Amino acid sequence: MTTICVEMILSSYEEGDDGSPSNPLKFKGQDYEQIKEALLSGGGKFEDELFPANLESLGELEGFTKERLSEVEWLRPHDLNPDASFIMDGVSRFDFKQGKVGNCWFLSSIGALTFRKSLMERVVPQNQSFKDNYAGIFHFKFWRFGKWVDVVIDDLLPTRNGVPVSVSSSSGKEFWAPLMEKAYAKICGSYGDMIAGNPPEAFKDFSGGVHVSYTLSDSPSDLWDIMDRAFQCGTMMGCSSFGEDKGEQIFKELGVVDGHAFAVTKVKRVESEGTSVNLVRIWNPWGRKEWSGDWSDKSDLWTTVSEEDRDECLKVRDDGEFWIKMEDFREYFEDMDICCNSPNFVEGDDRQWNCHMKEGRWEAGVSAGGIRSDIDDFWTNPQYRLTVEVVDGWSEGDKNILVSLMQKHDEEYRSKVSYHCIGCIIYKVPPEAPQGKLPSSVLQYVQPHHVSSLSPVREIIKLHSLEPGEYVIIPCTLSAGQTADFLLTVYSKGEAKLQLSDDY
């Protein structure tokens, strides 16, 4: 079946509302247009007092002694190259390479983002320049907990001996990627606060979309087909290699960097001597260090495919990108993540998926009831009524509902964020249930339809098969009395209604 991907209907905001893509919130209250206009009138260049060019904004960087930190100098792109440009001939994963900051998870995600033209233009406004109306100020847009925010930065970049400390331009002239990294570092609190992470976090912050994760050793047999459909949908896709504990010598001999994040940039099926081979193309944000096994750049196996496929796929260059067959991908890489506007790539269905978002809060002593082992407290958690409508062609077992629960935090520094163990419990509403919240007298005898495992993570996501009817979703923390804000998002194949039970 050909996969047709459509945009979700986002009920969380209307276009033009505060926090919508066309009217993002101003991060830390800074208005890009107003600041730039004032600078152009006064003839100065922007110096961001809220993210100053100093060691505090640089943060703690592994391998940087006090002596090395003292040698860091903040320079503008024109100081590094008189011909500096923001974007040259469009954007590409090959425009940049990772520096000394261990944020491969973020940079591999940018590599995946470059394939999403419309989304890329939203995150990286294209009408910025070092020539026309230049004032040393730039801005970028990210999705943060249900709202889009506009992040303003100056263009002072950390360097040492004239070389960028972090992301650098591959050509030495193009600076959209180093500046985008600086904007995200500002959101995280510092460059050092970007160290260590997983691609889904960046995917979410680039799109607000839904992601599905796969452990490759235990993934569906049709995973390559899922990936193929996902690429047709215009997804972002990434993968990670095993850490040092499993990164045996053979992995290193074959060029797989252990404990590293990569972008998955394409899939392709080729015919090799009468046999179909499913290939996956992977990009290392280092801009070098590639797989050297079967189907690598110098593999003799490329002589067994058609000239057309060879011309399309084979690029023998040290750019960090390589092909690998699906079987080796499953063996030498640990997990993979797909992020898209809609979950329909999972089963190749062309039905519309709708999206419903609700902001909520666990409040100690009021609505933070912990897990269901203490039913008298548990029922006080926020409850959401979900009405699942009949969908033509639906049959038992079909995945038609995806539930995402994301914790919101107000910590300024990403490295200091501490997450509660969170989960969701779903009940089918019994016919005799009252309106509004289900009380403990009902919950104590009704068996849950689903009980998620609880994890100390930013977001948990689960696909469900729910027959038409009425359900209650109860987000909870492991312990009662834990206060936190959260965002509950329900994606439904076909029509569904989601509302707070208090309002039901």
Side-chain angles (χ1 to χ4, degrees):
M1 178 185 294
T2 300
T3 302
I4 302 173
C5 291
V6 290
E7 294 293 324
M8 296 181 301
I9 300 172
L10 295 179
S11 59
S12 58
Y13 53 66
E14 296 294 334
E15 195 65 21
D17 284 354
D18 289 345
S20 67
S22 63
N23 187 25
L25 301 177
K26 296 172 179 58
F27 187 68
K28 294 195 172 184
Q30 292 175 299
D31 188 307
Y32 170 75
E33 296 293 346
Q34 288 185 6
I35 297 173
K36 185 174 182 179
E37 183 178 348
L39 289 165
L40 291 174
S41 299
K45 293 187 179 66
F46 185 46
E47 293 188 16
D48 188 2
E49 295 180 354
L50 299 185
F51 196 62
N54 60 21
L55 293 182
E56 184 178 350
S57 296
L58 194 61
E60 296 184 12
L61 301 181
E62 184 178 349
F64 271 70
T65 62
K66 289 184 178 181
E67 180 182 356
R68 295 185 70 185
L69 286 172
S70 68
E71 297 170 350
V72 171
E73 182 181 11
W74 295 76
L75 300 175
R76 298 187 190 271
H78 276 143
D79 298 325
L80 297 171
N81 191 318
D83 296 325
S85 295
F86 185 65
I87 293 175
M88 298 169 54
D89 301 321
V91 297
S92 164
R93 61 203 179 280
F94 300 121
D95 291 344
F96 62 93
K97 52 189 176 182
Q98 186 176 350
K100 299 297 184 182
V101 178
N103 58 357
C104 58
W105 64 278
F106 175 73
L107 300 177
S108 63
S109 301
I110 296 180
L113 177 65
T114 60
F115 288 89
R116 296 282 309 277
K117 186 175 185 295
S118 61
L119 187 57
M120 184 75 190
E121 291 176 354
R122 177 182 298 171
V123 176
V124 184
Q126 308 288 289
N127 59 342
Q128 303 186 82
S129 170
F130 290 103
K131 298 178 177 64
D132 300 329
N133 295 322
Y134 169 70
I137 184 172
F138 292 84
H139 69 132
F140 298 82
K141 299 175 184 178
F142 302 106
W143 185 96
R144 299 289 286 172
F145 308 118
K147 304 289 185 181
W148 284 86
V149 297
D150 191 57
V151 182
V152 174
I153 58 165
D154 61 33
D155 61 351
L156 288 160
L157 299 172
T159 69
R160 181 172 176 267
N161 298 326
V163 178
V165 167
S166 194
V167 171
S168 61
S169 166
S170 297
S171 66
K173 296 181 178 181
E174 194 168 18
F175 285 90
W176 67 266
L179 293 173
M180 178 180 175
E181 181 197 39
K182 181 171 186 177
Y184 201 78
K186 182 174 179 178
I187 277 183
C188 292
S190 73
Y191 282 86
D193 280 274
M194 295 179 69
I195 294 174
N198 295 301
E201 181 177 347
F203 288 161
K204 192 81 171 184
D205 291 346
F206 294 164
S207 68
V210 57
H211 80 265
V212 179
S213 298
Y214 298 91
T215 300
L216 290 172
S217 61
D218 188 32
S219 56
S221 58
D222 65 339
L223 181 60
W224 190 90
D225 295 318
I226 292 173
M227 295 168 68
D228 187 35
R229 291 194 295 265
F231 272 109
Q232 294 179 45
C233 292
T235 63
M236 293 179 285
M237 197 174 300
C239 63
S240 300
S241 56
F242 291 97
E244 290 184 4
D245 57 333
K246 195 170 180 178
E248 293 95 342
Q249 187 62 33
I250 188 172
F251 284 59
K252 297 178 181 179
E253 291 174 356
L254 289 171
V256 178
V257 181
D258 56 54
H260 195 49
F262 303 77
V264 178
T265 59
K266 195 173 183 179
V267 295
K268 174 78 174 178
R269 178 174 287 144
V270 299
E271 291 292 321
S272 172
E273 297 180 332
T275 301
S276 292
V277 181
N278 292 331
L279 298 177
V280 179
R281 193 175 69 187
I282 298 172
W283 176 72
N284 181 347
W286 285 358
R288 57 182 178 82
K289 194 69 175 175
E290 301 179 11
W291 162 259
S292 59
D294 288 350
W295 299 100
S296 60
D297 285 5
K298 297 180 181 179
S299 172
D300 292 338
L301 289 169
W302 287 108
T303 64
T304 67
V305 304
S306 68
E307 183 177 354
E308 180 182 358
D309 284 341
R310 190 163 55 250
D311 290 343
E312 176 186 345
C313 299
L314 186 58
K315 303 290 187 296
V316 182
R317 57 193 182 196
D318 187 20
D319 56 9
E321 191 165 64
F322 56 87
W323 290 93
I324 186 172
K325 68 180 179 181
M326 189 66 189
E327 293 80 1
D328 287 338
F329 179 53
R330 289 177 185 268
E331 181 176 355
Y332 292 104
F333 289 83
E334 185 172 15
D335 48 43
M336 185 192 66
D337 300 282
I338 300 174
C339 180
C340 192
N341 289 330
S342 165
N344 62 350
F345 62 83
V346 175
E347 294 183 335
D349 200 313
D350 60 1
R351 293 191 184 99
Q352 173 74 55
W353 284 74
N354 297 316
C355 175
H356 311 271
M357 291 183 183
K358 296 292 183 182
E359 293 181 290
R361 180 175 175 82
W362 296 292
E363 186 75 47
V366 180
S367 58
I371 56 176
R372 64 188 298 268
S373 57
D374 187 349
I375 206 73
D376 289 335
D377 286 335
F378 172 70
W379 81 277
T380 65
N381 283 301
Q383 297 185 20
Y384 296 86
R385 290 280 182 120
L386 173 67
T387 303
V388 179
E389 304 287 351
V390 176
V391 176
D392 291 339
W394 183 87
S395 59
E396 187 175 357
D398 287 353
K399 304 296 186 184
N400 61 331
I401 297 291
L402 186 145
V403 177
S404 160
L405 178 64
M406 172 180 279
Q407 298 187 66
K408 300 169 66 175
H409 66 82
D410 55 8
E411 174 58 61
E412 184 175 359
Y413 297 97
R414 176 176 173 272
S415 62
K416 295 181 180 179
V417 174
S418 178
Y419 290 118
H420 299 308
C421 285
I422 61 170
C424 278
I425 300 178
I426 302 176
Y427 293 88
K428 183 76 178 290
V429 176
E432 68 278 11
Q435 298 292 307
K437 295 182 73 168
L438 297 184
S440 58
S441 59
V442 172
L443 294 175
Q444 66 183 350
Y445 70 83
V446 177
Q447 287 298 312
H449 181 278
H450 170 77
V451 179
S452 70
S453 58
L454 277 73
S455 302
V457 294
R458 184 172 86 151
E459 182 182 22
I460 61 168
I461 293 178
K462 180 69 176 179
L463 271 165
H464 299 275
S465 175
L466 300 184
E467 63 182 20
E470 192 174 12
Y471 299 82
V472 166
I473 301 175
I474 304 181
C476 63
T477 57
L478 176 62
S479 301
Q482 294 180 318
T483 296
D485 293 315
F486 63 82
L487 181 69
L488 177 68
T489 309
V490 174
Y491 301 83
S492 62
K493 185 186 293 185
E495 294 298 325
K497 298 177 182 177
L498 180 70
Q499 62 186 116
L500 186 66
S501 292
D502 292 349
D503 302 327
Y504 187 77

